[in-house]
């Protein structure tokens, strides 16, 4: 059976240890060198980066997330032993693992590392579909001749480079489509390398719970359970028409995915559809001044991000979550796209006032949607708001000062509230 | 109720009614038209709770009475009947149906009780005056393109009709703006209008009103209060709530010091703008005006799709100027000009531009430039 050493990348035929370096870290599969669709997922990405940058916390449980009100965004494998999981409320995580080191997320650092990983992947294939900062699909079909090595070897090399050059580890799933590759990458974490071949696809899926299917969240899962579907095997018993009749488009997808069929290509450009920013308060608040300060800061952050990406939006969105978790969203279409913090703030503020929602709130968010290139943004002024031109000029001057002297060189008094 | 009415008269009355009723509403009776027959006239009443239209038309009334039926359905039926047909409407109180008969066609329509139909509360009008249809037509037609659709500034969703001081004394003035362009139209102040409160006439009312103004000879009785406005012909009475808000002080928006004067044939200008704007795929198409001694170059540069340029002979004697506008806004204001040349008055490429027809100050337009 074709096999590959994950440490020295030697290719050999079967065995539990590498004949070259004697490493036990061996990936073996009959189709190992024939498959080319992969999913790469970094292991506990944010936590790994934190451990890399601060060796003193390397052997301690680390949780990356915000404040006592926040949730766990990532936790290291040591913290997972205590039962901590991502998306768990922080207080619960700390109850399970009181000795955990809690680190505030440093998104800029993660984004930088993510770009380095991306660059390594770019060297392997142009067909990359990033799903988030720490995971991506890769299609390596037809690259074997170019690289002089089959996809499996290139992927193992990627993982090795990430470990040696960036100090973070990742896991790879290799299969014949995206759906299975994504499942495979999760089978053998961390530092995993799992393969699902065509031949064993059906056997592999049969006993898995339906929620293994990507896109089946708790809502779909509930709907499936009401129909008596818990496992893939249950799904297989349904006729295609019946699934479609009951679940519509989703039913059609489920029918195919239950059979391990997924024709979606690895799509390079996952275009940005919206830019948004939200914040969960430390303490629920209904104080209009505090909320106004948050609206301004969020508007400024969304504006910064859209300016950095050269984008503008025609629709401004406002999101509010009340203390009882009831969510309110409001949107407003503009006559022309904007990327100005001032305009965003004013629109968001108008939406907030018009929503007439009673606090206290636990979360507030501002976003831009219906995106357009920055060139089309903020070209016309408002006749009825003669001050707008001056505020816009002030914003451009502020941006220029910040570009030279840093973010905090100049701020609005409003943002101090 | 039992009446006979000529198809044409019925179509006109029901047509007016069905355009007022709200297509999507949660109160079923608001989809209906209230038909009341008494003496020699039948009245058709429709409302969306903001506007109420009553059309009184002569008919042969065999039996007085009243009922309500779906305005849209009745309109569809009447529309499909042959021209010149005599239509019989008779209400069968027992079955609660209205029978519509014309020639060999018979329809039986569900009705709702007339008592449930909401009749708009009558208002004390503080001002009553009479205005000719062509005058009102001009006031509203020339202003309505600038009405805003933006809901956050709801007070811009209509035409602000009020009394103002014009250059030659008091005028009846209509103003509309969406913050990008503004239209200010004046007409001689009709007798009795002097004390009229300023009201914001909603967009839908402006559109419905238009149907009353086609007849050049018609005199429209206008009544205004703080909360309502009424336009009436002998046959049709339209009552509308006005927008409850304060229209912004537009006077400071209208530039007075613009000196750079461009005079151009409005039609030629509009056609040229339309042509060059074709190459832009952006939703907000920017057209650049480059002005030099009696020469105007219109250009569009859309990096993704192409570029276009057109030169026009114009009257311009000031220093060179380059200024950009949204093509749609330019087209809309240029199309308001119908008699003389369009006169544009510029200041700088960042300031509002004024447009009027020749030297006529009774209709002025302001448009905000765009960065190009």
């Amino acid at each position: 059976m074709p096999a590959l050493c994950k440490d020295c990348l030697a290719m050999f035929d079967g065995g539990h240890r590498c004949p070259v370096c004697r490493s036990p870290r061996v990936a073996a599969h009959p189709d190992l060198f024939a498959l080319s669709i992969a999913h790469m997922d970094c292991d506990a990405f944010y936590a790994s980066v934190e451990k890399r940058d601060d060796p003193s916390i390397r052997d301690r449980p680390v949780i990356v997330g915000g404040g006592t009100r926040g949730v766990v965004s990532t936790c290291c494998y040591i913290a997972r032993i205590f039962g901590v999981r991502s998306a768990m409320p922080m207080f619960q995580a700390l109850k399970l693992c009181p000795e955990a080191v809690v680190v505030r997320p440093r998104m800029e650092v993660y984004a930088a590392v993510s770009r380095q990983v991306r660059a390594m992947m770019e060297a392997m294939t142009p067909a990359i579909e990033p799903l988030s900062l720490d995971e991506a699909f890769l299609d390596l079909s037809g690259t074997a001749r170019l690289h002089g090595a089959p996809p499996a070897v290139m992927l193992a090399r990627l993982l090795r480079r990430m470990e040696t050059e960036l100090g973070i580890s990742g896991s790879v799933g290799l299969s014949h489509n995206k759906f299975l590759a994504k499942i495979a990458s999760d089978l053998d974490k961390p530092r995993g390398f799992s393969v699902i071949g065509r031949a064993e696809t059906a056997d592999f899926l049969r006993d898995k719970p339906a929620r293994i299917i990507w896109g089946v969240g708790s809502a779909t899962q509930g709907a499936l359970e009401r129909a008596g579907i818990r496992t893939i095997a249950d799904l297989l018993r349904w006729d295609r028409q019946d699934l479609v009749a009951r679940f519509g488009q989703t039913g059609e997808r489920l029918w195919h995915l239950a059979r391990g069929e997924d024709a979606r290509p690895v799509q390079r450009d996952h275009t940005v559809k919206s830019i948004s920013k939200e914040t969960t308060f430390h303490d629920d608040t209904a104080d209009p001044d505090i909320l106004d300060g948050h609206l301004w800061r969020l508007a400024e952050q969304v504006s910064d991000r859209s300016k950095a990406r050269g984008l503008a939006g025609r629709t401004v969105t406002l999101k509010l979550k009340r203390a009882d978790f009831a969510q309110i969203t409001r949107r407003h279409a503009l006559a022309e796209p904007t990327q100005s913090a001032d305009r965003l703030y004013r629109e968001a503020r108008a939406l907030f006032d018009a929503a007439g929602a009673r606090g206290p709130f636990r979360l507030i968010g501002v976003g831009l949607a219906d995106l357009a290139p920055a060139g089309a943004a903020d070209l016309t002024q408002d006749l009825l708001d003669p001050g707008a031109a001056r505020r816009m000029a002030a914003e451009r001057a502020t941006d220029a000062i910040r570009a030279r002297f840093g973010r905090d060189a100049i701020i609005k008094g409003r943002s101090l509230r | 109720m039992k009446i006979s009415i000529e198809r044409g008269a019925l179509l006109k009355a029901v047509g007016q009614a069905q355009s007022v009723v709200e297509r999507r509403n949660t109160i079923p009776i608001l989809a209906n038209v209230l038909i009341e027959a008494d003496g020699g006239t039948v009245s058709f009443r429709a409302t969306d709770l903001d506007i109420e239209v009553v059309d009184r038309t002569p008919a042969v009334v065999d039996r007085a009475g009243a009922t309500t039926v779906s305005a849209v359905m009745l309109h569809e039926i009447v529309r499909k009947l042959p021209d010149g047909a005599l239509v019989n409407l008779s209400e069968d109180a027992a079955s609660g149906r209205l029978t519509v008969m014309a020639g060999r066609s018979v329809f039986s329509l569900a009705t709702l009780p007339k008592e449930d139909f909401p009749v708009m509360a009558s208002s004390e009008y503080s001002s009553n005056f009479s205005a000719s249809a062509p005058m009102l037509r001009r006031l509203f037609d020339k202003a309505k393109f600038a009405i805003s659709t933006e809901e956050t500034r709801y007070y811009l969703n209509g035409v602000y009709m009020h009394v103002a001081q014009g250059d030659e004394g008091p005028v009846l003035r209509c103003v509309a703006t969406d913050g990008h362009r503004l239209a200010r139209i004046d007409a001689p102040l009709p007798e009795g209008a002097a004390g009229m409160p300023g009201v914001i006439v909603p967009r839908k009312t402006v559109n419905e009103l238009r149907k009353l103004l086609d007849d050049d000879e018609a005199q429209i009785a206008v009544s205004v209060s703080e909360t309502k406005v009424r336009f009436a012909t002998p046959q049709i009475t339209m009552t509308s709530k006005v927008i409850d808000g304060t229209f912004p002080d537009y006077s400071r928006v209208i530039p007075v010091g613009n000196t750079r004067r461009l005079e151009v044939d409005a039609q030629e200008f509009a056609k040229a703008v339309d042509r060059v704007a074709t190459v832009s795929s952006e939703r907000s198409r920017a057209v650049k005006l480059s002005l030099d001694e009696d020469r105007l170059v219109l250009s569009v540069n859309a990096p993704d799709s192409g570029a276009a340029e057109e030169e026009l002979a114009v009257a311009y004697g000031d220093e060179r100027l380059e200024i950009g506008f949204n093509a749609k806004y330019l087209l809309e204001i240029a199309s308001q000009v119908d008699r003389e040349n369009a006169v544009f008055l510029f200041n700088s490429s960042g300031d509002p531009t004024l447009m009027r027809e020749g030297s006529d100050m009774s209709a002025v337009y302001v448009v905000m430039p765009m960065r190009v």
Side-chain angles (χ1 to χ4, degrees):
Chain A
M1 189 191 301
L4 166 70
C5 173
K6 293 194 269 183
D7 285 329
C8 73
L9 308 181
M11 291 186 273
F12 49 95
D13 194 30
H16 292 290
R17 273 186 185 275
C18 169
V20 181
C21 71
R22 307 305 299 161
S23 164
R25 299 185 62 235
V26 166
H29 191 275
D31 300 336
L32 181 62
F33 298 132
L35 298 168
S36 58
I37 308 284
H39 177 255
M40 197 289 294
D41 192 6
C42 297
D43 302 326
F45 182 56
Y46 300 173
S48 303
V49 173
E50 293 303 336
K51 290 193 175 199
R52 178 195 75 173
D53 292 352
D54 180 5
S56 74
I57 58 170
R58 215 175 65 197
D59 301 320
R60 302 184 53 194
V62 169
I63 297 175
V64 180
T68 46
R69 285 289 299 262
V71 293
V72 175
S73 7
T74 314
C75 56
C76 74
Y77 284 88
I78 304 175
R80 287 184 201 190
I81 296 170
F82 293 89
V84 180
R85 295 287 177 268
S86 53
M88 185 180 269
M90 192 61 84
F91 72 90
Q92 197 183 339
L94 288 173
K95 213 181 274 174
L96 290 167
C97 183
E99 62 267 45
V101 180
V102 179
V103 185
R104 286 249 172 206
R106 298 181 297 151
M107 294 312 291
E108 322 79 53
V109 180
Y110 311 146
V113 178
S114 173
R115 277 194 295 274
Q116 289 173 305
V117 175
R118 175 83 188 256
M120 289 178 182
M121 295 192 289
E122 296 279 357
M124 295 162 59
T125 173
I128 302 166
E129 180 179 334
L131 294 179
S132 63
L133 284 181
D134 61 345
E135 56 176 320
F137 286 114
L138 297 102
D139 184 350
L140 291 153
S141 308
T143 63
R145 179 180 289 213
L146 175 71
H147 296 306
V153 174
M154 294 307 295
L155 290 161
R157 186 175 291 165
L158 169 70
L159 294 181
R160 200 174 67 168
R161 278 189 74 191
M162 282 164 53
E163 289 188 14
T164 54
E165 295 175 31
L166 304 176
I168 56 161
S169 69
S171 298
V172 158
L174 182 60
S175 190
H176 50 95
N177 63 39
K178 280 169 40 169
F179 165 55
L180 292 165
K182 172 125 170 122
I183 292 175
S185 72
D186 206 35
L187 291 177
D188 189 23
K189 264 178 162 304
R191 300 183 82 204
F193 196 112
S194 302
V195 182
I196 301 175
R198 268 178 220 283
E200 76 258 29
T201 299
D203 283 338
F204 171 83
L205 286 174
R206 191 163 301 123
D207 302 322
K208 299 286 181 285
R211 67 165 182 280
I212 198 173
I213 295 174
W214 189 24
V216 174
S218 51
T220 317
Q221 201 183 337
L224 289 173
E225 274 175 16
R226 278 192 292 284
I229 299 170
R230 283 171 200 279
T231 65
I232 304 268
D234 295 335
L235 261 178
L236 289 172
R237 276 192 287 275
W238 280 62
D239 275 339
R240 190 168 171 173
Q241 290 89 334
D242 294 343
L243 273 179
V244 174
R246 178 139 185 167
F247 302 106
Q249 282 274 302
T250 312
E252 178 78 26
R253 244 188 62 222
L254 291 174
W255 190 86
H256 285 288
L257 294 179
R259 282 157 184 75
E261 297 167 10
D262 178 12
R264 291 168 302 173
V266 174
Q267 269 170 347
R268 188 181 170 78
D269 280 313
H270 198 73
T271 44
V272 188
K273 291 207 180 76
S274 66
I275 299 172
S276 64
K277 194 84 192 163
E278 58 190 46
T279 183
T280 305
F281 306 131
H282 203 269
D283 299 299
D284 295 342
T285 183
D287 183 326
D289 278 348
I290 293 177
L291 289 166
D292 188 70
H294 278 290
L295 274 181
W296 167 254
R297 277 188 295 276
L298 291 167
E300 204 174 26
Q301 284 165 7
V302 171
S303 159
D304 284 349
R305 215 187 274 186
S306 43
K307 283 169 184 164
R309 292 188 189 180
L311 290 170
R314 288 190 184 86
T315 302
V316 176
T317 57
L318 172 78
K319 178 170 157 186
L320 291 165
K321 208 180 261 180
R322 278 205 295 253
D324 60 359
F325 285 86
Q327 188 171 308
I328 301 161
T329 53
R330 293 286 182 273
R331 50 198 292 125
H332 177 229
L334 308 172
E336 66 169 7
T338 188
Q339 54 168 203
S340 140
D342 180 70
R343 217 147 152 186
L344 246 167
Y345 161 73
R346 273 158 203 278
E347 295 294 344
R349 179 66 216 238
L351 286 174
F352 179 82
D353 292 341
R358 289 273 182 84
F361 303 100
R362 57 174 281 118
L363 174 147
I364 189 165
V366 172
L368 268 178
D370 193 5
L371 300 179
D378 302 307
L379 298 174
T380 27
Q381 285 156 24
D382 196 330
L383 269 172
L384 303 170
D385 186 3
R390 291 173 56 199
R391 291 198 306 272
M392 198 68 86
E395 187 171 331
R396 277 195 284 270
T398 306
D399 288 344
I401 291 167
R402 284 180 170 171
R404 268 184 80 179
F405 302 110
R407 267 228 46 75
D408 298 329
I410 181 164
I411 56 169
K412 282 217 189 207
R414 196 191 276 146
S415 66
L416 294 172
R417 274 186 296 191
Chain B
M1 182 189 79
K2 191 162 189 268
I3 57 171
S4 306
I5 182 169
E6 197 272 320
R7 182 236 179 211
L10 182 58
L11 183 63
K12 192 157 175 282
V14 180
Q16 186 93 42
Q18 66 91 31
S19 78
V20 167
V21 299
E22 199 61 64
R23 287 290 184 279
R24 295 159 298 172
N25 69 65
T26 48
I27 311 169
I29 200 150
L30 291 185
N32 281 15
V33 52
L34 171 64
I35 308 170
E36 294 169 296
D38 193 17
T41 53
V42 183
S43 78
F44 297 85
R45 186 186 299 262
T47 182
D48 65 358
L49 297 181
D50 288 325
I51 307 177
E52 183 192 72
V53 168
V54 187
D55 189 310
R56 282 177 209 82
T57 205
V60 181
V61 178
D62 293 330
R63 193 167 68 238
T67 189
T68 82
V69 286
S70 161
V72 172
M73 199 179 285
L74 183 59
H75 177 250
E76 280 297 288
I77 290 170
V78 178
R79 192 175 61 81
K80 290 169 184 170
L81 290 175
D83 209 8
L86 189 70
V87 187
N88 291 297
L89 301 179
S90 56
E91 187 208 6
D92 178 2
S95 67
R97 300 270 160 167
L98 179 78
T99 306
V100 181
M101 260 189 304
R104 291 193 225 175
S105 313
V106 183
F107 306 84
S108 177
L109 305 181
T111 63
L112 286 171
K114 61 175 190 290
E115 292 78 18
D116 295 350
F117 194 89
V119 174
M120 196 177 265
S122 59
S123 185
E124 280 291 311
Y125 293 102
S126 58
S127 258
N128 297 286
F129 59 91
S130 170
S132 74
M135 179 183 120
L136 287 175
R137 199 161 70 203
R138 174 175 172 276
L139 279 173
F140 285 99
D141 276 2
K142 283 183 176 297
K144 74 177 174 195
F145 76 93
I147 300 176
S148 169
T149 51
E150 202 186 317
E151 280 165 32
T152 40
R153 293 196 282 188
Y154 60 93
Y155 48 82
L156 299 182
N157 297 161
V159 168
Y160 181 44
M161 179 172 79
H162 60 298
V163 179
Q165 198 59 37
D167 292 337
E168 291 144 22
V171 290
L172 182 63
R173 177 174 283 178
C174 279
V175 178
T177 180
D178 64 357
H180 301 294
R181 54 264 169 82
L182 176 145
R184 188 194 77 186
I185 318 298
D186 291 348
L189 190 68
E191 203 177 318
M196 178 190 104
V199 286
I200 307 170
V201 184
R203 166 194 293 276
K204 185 173 174 183
T205 309
V206 172
N207 288 332
E208 292 301 321
L209 168 65
R210 190 59 184 77
K211 294 171 191 154
L212 273 61
L213 305 178
D214 277 329
D215 179 4
D216 279 351
E217 304 305 315
Q219 281 293 318
I220 314 292
V222 185
S223 310
V224 186
S225 77
E226 294 280 354
T227 54
K228 285 195 186 117
V229 61
R230 166 174 285 180
F231 299 93
T233 65
Q235 194 185 340
I236 302 170
T237 303
M238 192 174 99
T239 312
S240 168
K241 292 184 186 163
V242 298
I243 294 174
D244 182 11
T246 308
F247 200 81
D249 175 15
Y250 61 86
S251 60
R252 59 187 171 84
V253 167
I254 297 171
V256 284
N258 286 9
T259 50
R260 296 169 166 187
R261 186 177 192 278
L262 160 73
E263 188 165 341
V264 60
D265 181 306
Q267 273 198 19
E268 287 304 310
F269 176 75
K271 279 184 197 159
V273 168
D274 196 20
R275 272 192 292 269
V276 293
T278 319
V279 298
S280 171
S281 54
E282 267 298 308
R283 263 181 271 181
S284 49
R285 301 171 168 201
V287 173
K288 184 163 86 177
L289 276 61
S290 308
L291 283 157
D292 205 349
E293 194 71 43
D294 290 344
R295 202 173 80 112
L296 166 65
V297 178
L298 296 165
S299 59
V300 170
N301 193 1
D304 294 339
S305 47
E309 202 178 280
E310 179 157 345
E311 193 178 318
L312 283 173
V314 298
Y316 181 75
D318 217 300
E319 57 186 284
R320 286 176 63 100
L321 175 70
E322 288 196 344
I323 186 167
F325 292 100
N326 181 323
K328 179 171 158 256
Y329 297 167
L330 275 189
L331 283 176
E332 279 174 347
I333 66 165
S335 65
Q336 304 305 320
V337 175
D338 35 30
R339 286 168 294 125
E340 293 181 61
N341 283 339
V343 171
F344 287 87
L345 291 168
F346 305 98
N347 186 29
S348 81
S349 62
D351 294 316
T353 293
L354 189 134
M355 198 280 291
R356 61 171 195 243
E357 195 168 341
S359 55
D360 180 5
M361 290 301 289
S362 72
V364 299
Y365 304 90
V366 182
V367 58
M368 205 63 192
M370 219 172 156
R371 276 193 291 124
V372 283

